[in-house]
Amino acid sequence: MRCAVCCRQARGFGYFNARWPYRSAARDESWQFCSMRCQHAFSQLMDKTEGYMIDPTEMERAAMQACLKPLGERVAELGIDQTLADYHRDGVLQLIETVVTAYQDHMVAEHERLAARERAYFEALRAQREAVGQI
Ligand SMILES: [Zn+2]
């Protein structure tokens, strides 16, 4: 099982949408996470969207683009004059690790950024309502 946020191996953290009725098939859908960090980022996003993801394809595309610079730097370290077939096993594993790490870091950071932005918005809205006596 993979982490729903960063795709690392899940390690016992999970989320299900308790807003669905008890016997609803939708309630059976659940997500697994590698860490409290990923679980927290995801649950904040799900709370905001009421259980529906918002355009994850665009986010994943941005995460892939975030891999380009670290991948290029790693290729330069290993020797830019080589073809992929010339790399030894360890060199290929280093390339994979570089890409996976950059992808995961971007995905987690993006989820955290979205959650922080939403939290700031709602805190400002609440402060504004308190100031005019609506709360
Ligand atoms: Zn994760």
Side-chain angles (χ1 to χ4, degrees), residues 39-90:
Q39 181 183 34
H40 183 69
F42 185 85
S43 64
Q44 287 191 322
L45 186 63
M46 293 301 271
D47 284 347
K48 181 191 80 175
T49 63
E50 298 181 349
Y52 297 99
M53 292 296 292
I54 52 168
D55 207 359
T57 302
E58 187 176 317
M59 188 185 299
E60 289 171 352
R61 226 175 297 143
M64 286 186 257
Q65 289 180 3
C67 298
L68 292 174
K69 186 174 181 219
L71 177 61
E73 291 169 352
R74 181 57 62 124
V75 168
E77 286 173 18
L78 294 173
I80 199 161
D81 53 332
Q82 299 181 67
T83 67
L84 189 57
D86 294 331
Y87 285 121
H88 293 286
R89 185 175 190 272
D90 287 345

Side-chain angles (χ1 to χ4, degrees), residues 1 8-13 32-35:
M1 188 68 71
R8 286 190 174 135
Q9 183 177 4
R11 294 188 181 154
F13 300 95
Q32 305 297 316
F33 306 98
C34 68
S35 62

